[in-house]
Amino acid sequence: MSKPIKLLAPLVFVLLAGCASTRSTSPAAKAAVEPSHVEAPAPVARPVRIGLALGGGAARGFAHIGVIKALEAQGIVPDIVVGTSAGSVVGAMYAAGNNGFKLNRMALEMDEAAISDWAIPLFAKSSGVLKGEAIQRYVNRAVRNVPIEKFPVSFGAVATDLNSGKPILFQRGNAGMAVRASSSVPGVFQPVKIGEHSYVDGGLVAPVPVRYAREMGADFVIAVNISADPDAQPATSNLDVVLQTFAIMGQTINRLEMKDADVVITPSLGAMKGSDFSGRNLAILAGEQATATVMPDLRAKLKAKREGAAVH
């Protein structure tokens, strides 16, 4: 054998051995180097956060309790609750862990004497400047003195900064004080001073706080509008004049706010005045009835929202 052939022989042997080695690769090794078809995981539905925006309307706010009861009966429990004025009263007690039936019982057992500096002007023919400390104590007892940030359900109360006219959303601290600020109707209650700021009723800036429910992270907002129709509200006292003024001022803001809600519930409260605490039973029933009426639409929209969340 010539010398060049002798030199090439080992090289050919190595190359052939390499080819043989490749052909004899084990199944496990083969799987490691060859691409295999892997199915993409099915999309996981992202939880849709439900927000409940409860509007202001003084004694008409008892209707919120009926709405809550009807929603719970259908298994619809909000993740976020935001309230203005009367809506902040009911909303705080609900977000603190009192279900609809307990709220109903609390409403029926409510002793006006226990919240006298909040209730008396509602029955009187004239209004006075009151501190509103009784409603603060009442709410704090109802929530067991738990601060807002410790509530089992995220809660916010909307008030108005008296100096700047800007809205403030209370999400921390003393629940009773936040509700008191949110409910301090000018001309009836003294402004609530917290730190360097004074606050009055949130109805001046957000009669139905839909946008604040969105800001707190709600994907699906149920708004409850209990504002009175000024045409159906004859003023027979100074308080009636104040509440009617609020209703008139809030009409434009209400229309803009509620456009951003997924569902709007409007209990049929007729000519019920904001000062009519004797009508609490009828208001609660009106809330239940209004919710039952919109329930098919609410369920359909909520289902579509959940399906959309699953796709994306």
Side-chain angles (χ1 to χ4, degrees):
M1 186 179 296
S2 67
K3 191 172 183 178
I5 293 176
K6 286 182 179 180
L7 292 174
L8 288 173
L11 179 59
V12 172
F13 178 81
V14 170
L15 290 173
L16 291 174
C19 292
S21 175
T22 302
R23 286 193 299 269
S24 62
T25 302
S26 67
K30 207 169 186 180
V33 297
E34 291 183 2
S36 59
H37 176 69
V38 179
E39 290 187 7
V44 178
R46 180 178 63 84
V48 171
R49 288 169 61 80
I50 299 173
L52 183 62
L54 304 176
R60 295 164 68 94
F62 285 110
H64 291 316
I65 296 173
V67 171
I68 289 168
K69 286 176 63 181
L71 290 175
E72 286 184 335
Q74 295 295 318
I76 299 171
V77 180
D79 305 285
I80 295 164
V81 179
V82 189
T84 291
S85 199
S88 74
V89 178
V90 176
M93 294 192 291
Y94 180 46
N98 299 294
N99 65 22
F101 283 99
K102 189 169 183 180
L103 290 174
N104 198 147
R105 186 168 65 251
M106 292 166 71
L108 297 181
E109 293 174 352
M110 181 185 288
D111 179 8
E112 280 80 19
I115 50 173
S116 59
D117 66 351
W118 178 54
I120 283 177
L122 296 178
F123 290 103
K125 292 298 182 183
S126 62
S127 60
V129 179
L130 304 168
K131 290 184 177 180
E133 291 175 348
I135 187 62
Q136 179 176 328
R137 290 192 297 269
Y138 179 81
V139 170
N140 278 333
R141 282 196 301 271
V143 305
R144 298 169 291 281
N145 292 306
V146 173
I148 295 172
E149 65 272 19
K150 298 292 185 181
F151 284 2
V153 176
S154 296
F155 172 70
V158 180
T160 305
D161 188 314
L162 185 59
N163 297 321
S164 68
K166 293 181 179 179
I168 176 74
L169 181 65
F170 289 103
Q171 295 180 262
R172 299 183 62 81
N174 187 299
M177 183 169 285
V179 168
R180 175 184 166 194
S182 181
S183 307
S184 291
V185 180
V188 180
F189 295 105
Q190 292 179 356
V192 178
K193 192 169 180 62
I194 302 175
E196 298 300 316
H197 296 265
S198 294
Y199 299 99
V200 293
D201 197 288
L204 290 167
V205 289
V208 183
V210 174
R211 59 181 160 138
Y212 297 99
R214 295 282 186 204
E215 283 185 10
M216 289 178 65
D219 304 300
F220 187 89
V221 178
I222 303 168
V224 187
N225 176 28
I226 58 166
S227 60
D229 178 0
D231 292 336
Q233 297 288 304
T236 57
S237 70
N238 288 347
L239 176 65
D240 291 335
V241 171
V242 172
L243 296 177
Q244 188 162 341
T245 301
F246 262 59
I248 294 169
M249 290 173 58
Q251 282 182 315
T252 302
I253 302 174
N254 252 359
R255 284 193 290 269
L256 293 173
E257 285 268 353
M258 289 188 292
K259 283 181 179 179
D260 196 34
D262 292 279
V263 174
V264 178
I265 300 173
T266 306
S268 181
L269 297 169
M272 179 183 180
K273 294 183 179 181
S275 58
D276 185 10
F277 272 67
S278 63
R280 67 188 77 178
N281 261 329
L282 292 176
I284 293 170
L285 181 59
E288 292 184 58
Q289 292 173 333
T291 307
T293 299
V294 304
M295 188 55 67
D297 183 50
L298 191 160
R299 280 195 167 283
K301 288 182 175 179
L302 185 55
K303 180 182 178 183
K305 179 69 74 171
R306 284 171 171 160
E307 289 174 348
V311 171
H312 296 95

